[in-house]
Amino acid sequence: MPAEARPWANLRMQIAYRSKRLNTGHMIEADQRFGRRDAIGPHGVMLFFVSDAPGEPHGYKLHTAYRLWPQSPDSDNLSGLLSDLTAVAADNIATIGGRWSPLGPKGSMVNGGDMTLPAGATYVGVGVSTLDSDRGGWYQVARSVREAAAMGRNLSGFDLKGQCWALLTDGTALHIDRDPHARLGVTGIRCNKDLDVDQFTYFRPDEDLIERGDDATHAVWQQLAALHHTLAAHLLARRPA
């Protein structure tokens, strides 16, 4: 792989594994609060930034801020949630102007993670964490855990799957299928660009990743792209020349 392409390949993998960890934490927290008044919704949004870090292998450090929502009818609809968040971002840009950051302090879009960034940190992408999976929607699978426990079966939130989507400023699209029971070596990571820093290929089996899937998946990609383009146009325009 050409030297100039290696940092991006490394960043894609870092973001994929960071997303997996955040999705796991999202799952555990939602499972612990399931059925309570402070229950967490099944969807969250992640914002990715990098800062210069000469001591790191590729010269940068990844920072991730995220937002989770309380359980409600509005936060149960992922496509609608992303659409609403894009509208909020556009309104903040229009009213606050060039000073607005999705990390706040005014008009913050996040409530967890790296909410304070080093000077000069750069926006590189946005992602989604969801507890819905090919095993069913979150509420269905959460109830199945409790039914299994009532029947004496050893099953917990740690056994449940989750998934993530991400779009990056270099055109990367990522889909991460987090399966705690996946076979050794099966990462569940699909990407339209190279992930291996030691290998460059012209054949990428997931190059058409965004075009795949059902209508609900297409809607997620579409709304995530709208949010990503809104944030990128604003945040990258603020960078010094």
Side-chain angles (χ1 to χ4, degrees):
M1 175 177 289
E4 64 274 12
R6 294 173 67 88
W8 272 106
N10 177 267
L11 179 62
R12 292 174 199 128
M13 288 301 296
Q14 282 202 47
I15 286 176
Y17 284 110
R18 179 73 57 85
S19 297
K20 274 191 174 185
R21 289 198 299 271
L22 287 173
N23 185 262
T24 299
H26 183 187
M27 175 72 73
I28 294 169
E29 192 73 13
D31 180 58
Q32 291 175 344
R33 296 195 198 182
F34 186 77
R36 292 172 18 184
R37 294 183 64 182
D38 62 347
I40 293 176
H43 313 301
V45 169
M46 305 173 286
L47 302 180
F48 305 109
F49 300 82
V50 296
S51 64
D52 291 336
E56 297 292 327
H58 293 277
Y60 69 85
K61 183 176 181 179
L62 173 65
H63 308 272
T64 310
Y66 63 82
R67 183 180 183 93
L68 300 177
W69 281 265
Q71 181 183 321
S72 73
D74 289 339
S75 66
D76 290 346
N77 182 339
L78 177 54
S79 182
L81 198 67
L82 292 171
S83 178
D84 290 346
L85 204 57
T86 301
V88 169
D91 184 64
N92 284 332
I93 292 167
T95 57
I96 302 174
R99 295 176 292 108
W100 179 72
S101 166
L103 276 61
K106 189 174 181 180
S108 174
M109 292 173 55
V110 298
N111 55 17
D114 300 320
M115 299 173 65
T116 302
L117 300 177
T122 302
Y123 170 80
V124 291
V126 64
V128 163
S129 167
T130 179
L131 308 183
D132 294 344
S133 71
D134 56 8
R135 294 179 183 169
W138 163 240
Y139 299 107
Q140 173 189 341
V141 297
R143 282 191 294 269
S144 72
V145 169
R146 283 144 184 84
E147 291 167 359
M151 296 172 62
R153 292 166 52 200
N154 186 21
L155 187 65
S156 73
F158 290 96
D159 297 293
L160 301 181
K161 295 179 65 176
Q163 58 182 327
C164 305
W165 288 268
L167 292 172
L168 309 185
T169 52
D170 73 328
T172 294
L174 280 161
H175 178 259
I176 301 103
D177 183 28
R178 185 189 59 78
D179 183 356
H181 298 295
R183 298 191 311 274
L184 185 65
V186 177
T187 66
I189 301 170
R190 293 186 296 161
C191 184
N192 64 340
K193 293 180 179 287
D194 292 313
L195 292 170
D196 190 340
V197 297
D198 296 318
Q199 183 177 2
F200 176 80
T201 61
Y202 288 100
F203 173 68
R204 299 182 180 94
D206 296 311
E207 195 164 14
D208 62 343
L209 181 60
I210 294 178
E211 281 72 47
R212 300 180 191 168
D214 55 18
D215 290 344
T217 301
H218 290 156
V220 172
W221 281 123
Q222 182 179 19
Q223 297 300 337
L224 186 62
L227 176 60
H228 175 51
H229 294 151
T230 298
L231 292 174
H234 172 70
L235 296 174
L236 298 184
R238 294 167 46 190
R239 295 180 62 191

